[in-house]
Amino acid sequence: GKWHMGVNCESRRDHCHHPLNHGFDYFYGMPFTLLNECQGTDDPELAKSLQDTYWLYTQMIILAVLTLLIGKLTNLFAIKWKIIISLAICGLLYFISWFSSYGFTKYWNCILMRNLDITEQPMNLEKITFNMLKEAVSFIERNKHRPFLLFVSLLHVHTPLITTEEFQGRSRHGPYGDNVEEMDWMVGRLLDVIDKEGLKNTTFIYFASDHGGFLEAHRGNVQLGGWNGIYKGGKGMGGWEGGIRVPGIVRWPGVLPAGTVINELTSLMDVFPTVVHLAGGAVPQDRVIDGHTLLPLLQGTVQHSEHEFMFHYCGVFLHAVRWHQKDSGTIWKAHYATPVFQPEASGACFRRGICPCFEDGVTHHDPPLLFDLSQDPSEANPLSADTEPLFDAVTRRIGEAVEEHRKTLTPVPQQLCPYNNLWKPWLQPCCGTFPFCWCNEENNKA
């Protein structure tokens, strides 16, 4: 499915970020992310405001060249042809430079790979649902006689909401609801295969989302990014519950009792140590591992999560800290920075498209905004020293936890720096002769 970690580091064929270089034995899916451009809509997602600005500048250059050309031909003013031609060439190069990054996104970014080979460039969205399902089923059938780890990262419930014709209009909740319906059908098909192959009681299945609903995703008046209920904020926000509070659903008949609800704090970081535990291994001891195995909590041998503190980041910036106070059961959360909503009361960053993590896009809080999530899960009523007797003690203890946490951090190269987000032609995966990167091996192999 959606890998979204990239492919290359230094050359077009080093595949340093590829799943096969990070512990996986087989890969089928998108090495990058899913964008509106993959569907060819008129609603670009990648740096939309930048594209609009670049196109405005391009139009200004075209207008300037036309004005000079008309003036020259009608003898309104004297100007050398050399200046007009030079300006036209510069304008063309400027247009090519930005349009190659954004205008060809569908060809550069929306690609499908099987292991190290590109099978579709650009990918065929009409067939991707069935191709993904077919690959997952095939993987289960090939590996049913030995232990296996299958990670399915669905392209669903993510803009542009790829939905096959069979599911369009099925839900009362518009395109997003249709997409959820199809995702549910896909998961059901995978569970059916697990059951059919006799793996039901020996297979641990974990279903979760990586973040809450994307509030800013709209097409006209249609909400495309889901809904977060009573919880404030959404995807891309460092600390608000709407962006980070998601359900986890576990299925393991014969081992875990059905219908159990666990209201303890866990994390997607717990998946790694849980898988290691299930495989009979041991997590590395030479570094801090932030996750904890879920098995004791799921089996009821412990009543509380091992996560006393959790640190919620936006990019590399710490925005909020959660403290599950074991002795009282109270869950406190302190916000050190919160996104500036646009408009102010909207609960999202509609003008920007996604909330920024720093500078003028956030408000810093000293002392931090403090909430008691046990009583106020919607984070509607920030506490103060006047309204909460424990305010000073709680914020002080959370501050100490932050200092302890920061001592465990090791500096690494920043993957989200501006240079790493520029398109680099020499690293572009290409199934043909660059820049003519078009192919469809899926149909050929089928």
Side-chain angles (χ1 to χ4, degrees):
K2 183 163 74 76
W3 175 243
H4 199 174
M5 302 295 284
V7 182
N8 302 315
C9 289
E10 303 296 335
S11 73
R12 189 169 289 139
R13 298 193 178 278
D14 65 25
H15 299 111
C16 69
H17 296 306
H18 193 281
L20 298 193
N21 282 319
H22 290 273
F24 289 91
D25 302 308
Y26 183 81
F27 171 66
Y28 179 82
M30 291 188 73
F32 306 124
T33 190
L34 193 61
L35 297 164
N36 286 344
E37 284 87 340
C38 296
Q39 201 172 43
T41 67
D42 295 327
D43 184 24
E45 183 176 355
L46 190 64
K48 184 178 187 303
S49 59
L50 275 178
Q51 291 184 64
D52 292 341
T53 302
Y54 292 153
W55 178 234
L56 175 63
Y57 291 159
T58 302
Q59 289 175 309
M60 291 170 63
I61 294 172
I62 293 172
L63 184 62
V65 171
L66 289 175
T67 301
L68 293 176
L69 185 60
I70 292 169
K72 175 71 173 177
L73 295 175
T74 58
N75 295 317
L76 285 176
F77 43 80
I79 189 169
K80 294 181 179 179
W81 280 109
K82 186 190 300 183
I83 295 175
I84 298 175
I85 294 171
S86 297
L87 183 60
I89 291 173
C90 289
L92 180 63
L93 292 175
Y94 173 76
F95 171 74
I96 291 173
S97 67
W98 73 262
F99 193 80
S100 60
S101 293
Y102 301 118
F104 294 123
T105 298
K106 182 174 182 177
Y107 298 95
W108 299 150
N109 199 88
C110 309
I111 67 177
L112 198 59
M113 298 184 77
R114 179 181 283 106
N115 293 325
L116 300 178
D117 299 321
I118 298 173
T119 61
E120 282 187 349
Q121 190 171 10
M123 59 192 287
N124 184 340
L125 296 190
E126 294 179 1
K127 297 182 179 180
I128 186 61
T129 296
F130 296 107
N131 286 341
M132 284 262 297
L133 185 58
K134 180 182 68 176
E135 288 284 336
V137 169
S138 174
F139 180 88
I140 294 170
E141 292 172 344
R142 291 198 309 272
N143 293 280
K144 62 186 178 183
H145 296 301
R146 60 177 182 172
F148 65 81
L149 167 69
L150 171 61
F151 170 38
V152 182
S153 179
L154 296 166
L155 305 185
H156 285 66
V157 297
H158 188 293
T159 52
L161 299 179
I162 300 167
T163 310
T164 58
E165 188 175 349
E166 182 184 352
F167 283 88
Q168 290 174 13
R170 181 175 289 202
S171 168
R172 292 179 300 149
H173 299 284
Y176 188 87
D178 295 343
N179 212 241
V180 171
E181 296 263 359
E182 185 163 66
M183 177 185 68
D184 183 59
W185 171 79
M186 288 182 69
V187 172
R189 287 291 303 274
L190 291 175
L191 295 181
D192 288 344
V193 172
I194 292 287
D195 294 352
K196 185 190 80 171
E197 299 294 347
L199 302 173
K200 182 175 181 177
N201 292 332
T202 55
T203 304
F204 178 90
I205 296 170
Y206 184 66
F207 177 90
S209 176
D210 52 348
H211 52 68
F214 183 14
L215 301 181
E216 291 86 359
H218 280 80
R219 186 176 298 143
N221 294 323
V222 178
Q223 169 74 14
L224 298 179
W227 180 63
N228 298 320
I230 67 169
Y231 303 113
K232 192 171 187 176
K235 173 185 176 178
M237 303 181 199
W240 293 121
E241 289 293 278
I244 55 181
R245 183 190 284 245
V246 296
I249 304 173
V250 177
R251 177 183 188 258
W252 195 4
V255 179
L256 303 178
T260 304
V261 178
I262 299 174
N263 287 314
E264 289 293 304
L265 176 68
T266 63
S267 166
L268 288 178
M269 293 186 294
D270 297 332
V271 173
F272 169 65
T274 301
V275 169
V276 171
H277 185 162
L278 288 168
V283 298
Q285 300 298 308
D286 61 343
R287 70 204 74 179
V288 175
I289 301 294
D290 294 305
H292 304 285
T293 176
L294 295 170
L295 269 297
L297 194 62
L298 294 170
Q299 292 174 321
T301 57
V302 301
Q303 298 305 308
H304 296 293
S305 164
E306 290 190 56
H307 292 287
E308 182 180 7
F309 292 93
M310 291 214 69
F311 305 91
H312 302 300
Y313 281 80
C314 186
V316 297
F317 302 96
L318 180 66
H319 274 211
V321 180
R322 183 188 311 256
W323 179 25
H324 191 168
Q325 200 171 3
K326 301 295 183 183
D327 53 353
S328 69
T330 304
I331 303 174
W332 306 97
K333 192 159 75 167
H335 289 262
Y336 293 97
T338 54
V340 177
F341 293 145
Q342 301 169 326
E344 188 175 346
S346 64
C349 301
F350 290 109
R351 289 178 195 153
R352 290 179 183 258
I354 193 167
C355 291
C357 298
F358 58 96
E359 293 181 347
D360 63 340
V362 301
T363 301
H364 294 277
H365 304 282
D366 186 15
L369 289 181
L370 183 68
F371 297 92
D372 177 357
L373 296 183
S374 320
Q375 305 296 323
D376 181 21
S378 299
E379 298 174 283
N381 303 300
L383 304 171
S384 66
D386 296 329
T387 60
E388 174 52 64
L390 296 174
F391 181 88
D392 290 332
V394 169
T395 53
R396 183 169 58 251
R397 178 65 190 99
I398 291 176
E400 292 168 356
V402 170
E403 292 306 311
E404 294 166 13
H405 162 68
R406 283 181 169 148
K407 290 175 184 176
T408 69
L409 302 180
T410 303
V412 295
Q414 294 303 326
Q415 297 300 310
L416 297 175
C417 67
Y419 175 74
N420 283 335
N421 280 274
L422 287 175
W423 178 64
K424 302 177 182 68
W426 59 94
L427 300 183
Q428 174 65 50
C430 182
C431 63
T433 302
F434 185 82
F436 305 106
C437 304
W438 292 275
C439 65
N440 185 357
E441 295 297 325
E442 282 298 309
N443 287 341
N444 297 341
K445 291 189 177 180

